[in-house]
Amino acid sequence: MHSLFARDARVSGRALMKHIILGTAGHVDHGKTALVKALTGVDTDRLKEEKERGITIELGFASLPLKSGDTLGVVDVPGHEKFVKNMVAGATGIDLVLLVIAADEGVMPQTVEHLDICTLLGIRNGIIALTKIDLVDADWLALVQDDVRQFMQTTFLDGAPIVPVSVVSGRGIAELRDAIEATALRIGERADSGLFRIPVDRVFTMKGFGSVVTGTLVSGSVRVGDAVEVLPQRIQAKVRGIQVHNEPQERAEAGQRTAINLQGVERAALGRGDVVAHPGIFEPSERLDVHLEYLKGAGRVLKNRALVRFHTGTSEIMARIILLDREELKPGEQVYAQLLLEDPVVAMGRDRFVLRSYSPIRTVGGGEILDPDAVKQKKAKDRHAAELETLRQGTEAERVAVILGRAGVRGITSSRLAVRTGIPLADLERVLRDMAGKKAVLRVDREETRIVSFPAYQGLKEELLRQVGLYHERFPLKEGMPKEELRTTAGQEVESRLYNMALKELEQEKKILADRENVRLAAHRVDLKGDLGDLGGRIEAIYRDARLSPPSVREVLEALGGKKAEALSVLGVLLNEGILVKVTEEIYYHREPLDKLREDYTAALLKAGKATPATFKDLTGLSRKYIIPLMEYFDATRLTIRVGDHRTLRERR
């Protein structure tokens, strides 16, 4: 056992062609564990209480070597009704069910419930083992076989092999092993999302190695040394060692029963129902969109907002059913619904789930998760229902379009899109390329592979135009809207890269004009009319009449009395139109006297070769209050250049 996670873990020599999990199912005391021992040589009842009571309580695990050289992972589940929740956890990831029915009792309540659970979880392959045949005669055995065959006609086990066996005499064990191998060979490769995920069904510690979790690796792969996180707690850890079929491995793949030695996490922080995954891929959620099947045998109507026990993966969480189009659900009906969970769960689109009633506890339904990151329903019910129908029945591209529509301008990474749609990453890339070619999606950031739906992007551009237009209406005298204010108005969820992309495209379409700070509509012109026009005329006259000795901005505002706000706006317009020129924050000039001064100053420099503050005073008759700012202004506008304590022309004319 201690060699499980040795630092020099070796890789087994032969890669499996297929990774298949066999799980038992059936009524209590029908011989599931004894049958597993007869097939594998492993007694999966490891607890003292299980030995004392003679029933399976917890999940048990073993390996079944086949003649082909492949090895099946085996999960032995409890049959007692009190431990059905453990059975549901063990059924996660099962590819092939071994339904065990005792020949002396036939089909019993937990036979039916376990079969319902397997059906709800989407299991479609199985074998029936009739155990304890040493306790019945040939006629009784033939009768039981006929009864079982007839019962299975309406289930996924219709036509499945029925193999009579006795673990006491060994009769039928070889035939059962052959039937298992023949069925396993017919099972196709399991769909693999490409995203590593293992729902935890067992946690323990090993002296000298620390915390170990086990489970069926339902998708993706993991290597020794990988960084992982335990969800929903978001605990960061590192893979110290891996075991598959009691052999140390460097890598585990989808479909394998896997034990992982985690470094950096305490045993007390882990439990059944947790999920181990690569960091940053999965997000715990408390609201799910689902397609729900309410079993015919449920017995009573299910009320809206009823409290139920929700099982997916290896977790059991209390949940409320939100019926979207009715107040109650009758046995045998199927609907779209939302599940509001009391605790967060980690799931993918297309994951299966099982529902058990709150009290008395029994399996009443289940179905398929359509969106594991649903939000409280606010849109029209018919639109929501149409989206859920598409997520369940639509093409891959149609399902992608729904989730991208829900993501809006926030967009979504390709890995999160795979999680929410349930489309494997490799297939998703093909779908996205095709959709991009049809201008249905837009890749915002190739490094993060963030995807935005093209309609959402077009909507962002339209919203930006609308917001700029509204800004012009509110502030008609301002040249444009500050860029950062526009981005905030459009929504904090808009990433800077997408925002800048939209602005650039709107400029290329000649719908806006943008400078470093502001954005305006291309058709926008500041037009001083009415009282504002009169105010503009007064301000312009003040500066024109002042010539080269204008009043300060503060003095101008005081001279205009109680119209400070309007005057500031008009000043901005006059500056933008070039009628006024800002020399300093407090000194503005009318363009006409300033242009005349530029001509005179240029002529003086051409004649004298240089200018000083004293010669500038001789030229203008101004005080130092204006001389220094004006000389610095002409430096800044590249007419002159300062050399020591004098100025010269930058270019001789």
Side-chain angles (χ1 to χ4, degrees), residues 360-402:
I361 304 174
R362 59 196 183 94
T363 302
V364 295
E368 183 178 44
I369 296 172
L370 302 177
D371 184 358
D373 195 17
V375 296
K376 188 173 182 179
Q377 183 51 38
K378 295 179 181 179
K379 64 185 73 172
K381 289 183 178 180
D382 55 349
R383 179 184 168 191
H384 189 210
E387 286 184 353
L388 298 186
E389 177 69 15
T390 300
L391 289 175
R392 179 168 175 252
Q393 305 278 25
T395 65
E396 290 177 330
E398 289 169 342
R399 287 153 53 197
V400 167
V402 168

Side-chain angles (χ1 to χ4, degrees), residues 192-195 281 348 413-419 422-432:
D192 183 3
S193 70
L195 302 172
I281 304 297
M348 282 186 68
T413 62
S414 56
S415 58
R416 283 295 301 160
L417 188 55
V419 169
I423 300 173
L425 269 177
D427 295 336
L428 182 61
E429 284 303 312
R430 170 184 50 77
V431 173
L432 289 174

Side-chain angles (χ1 to χ4, degrees), residues 174 465 526:
L465 290 174
V526 176

Side-chain angles (χ1 to χ4, degrees), residues 223-295:
R223 290 182 178 275
V224 174
D226 280 1
V228 296
E229 64 179 342
V230 181
L231 299 163
Q233 309 94 307
R234 300 184 188 276
I235 300 172
Q236 304 302 305
K238 185 176 181 180
V239 177
R240 185 178 182 182
I242 296 173
Q243 183 193 63
V244 177
H245 298 312
N246 299 318
E247 289 288 336
Q249 303 282 357
E250 286 293 329
R251 181 174 184 264
E253 301 175 344
Q256 293 180 320
R257 283 294 309 172
T258 308
I260 300 178
N261 180 201
L262 294 177
Q263 183 178 359
V265 56
E266 296 296 323
R267 160 69 181 86
L270 304 169
R272 176 177 292 170
D274 293 345
V275 172
V276 180
H278 284 140
I281 304 297
F282 293 90
E283 290 290 335
S285 172
E286 295 178 355
R287 188 182 291 267
L288 312 172
D289 276 329
V290 302
H291 179 258
L292 169 62
E293 177 184 351
Y294 194 46
L295 293 177

Side-chain angles (χ1 to χ4, degrees), residues 274-329:
D274 293 345
V275 172
V276 180
H278 284 140
I281 304 297
F282 293 90
E283 290 290 335
S285 172
E286 295 178 355
R287 188 182 291 267
L288 312 172
D289 276 329
V290 302
H291 179 258
L292 169 62
E293 177 184 351
Y294 194 46
L295 293 177
K296 291 181 180 179
R300 58 185 179 184
V301 298
L302 184 69
K303 299 289 186 181
N304 189 26
R305 302 192 68 83
L307 190 64
V308 293
R309 301 171 190 272
F310 169 78
H311 298 261
T312 193
T314 57
S315 63
E316 178 189 26
I317 301 172
M318 300 306 299
R320 290 202 178 273
I321 296 178
I322 312 298
L323 300 176
L324 302 177
D325 61 352
R326 63 194 73 189
E327 287 303 314
E328 63 180 31
L329 190 61

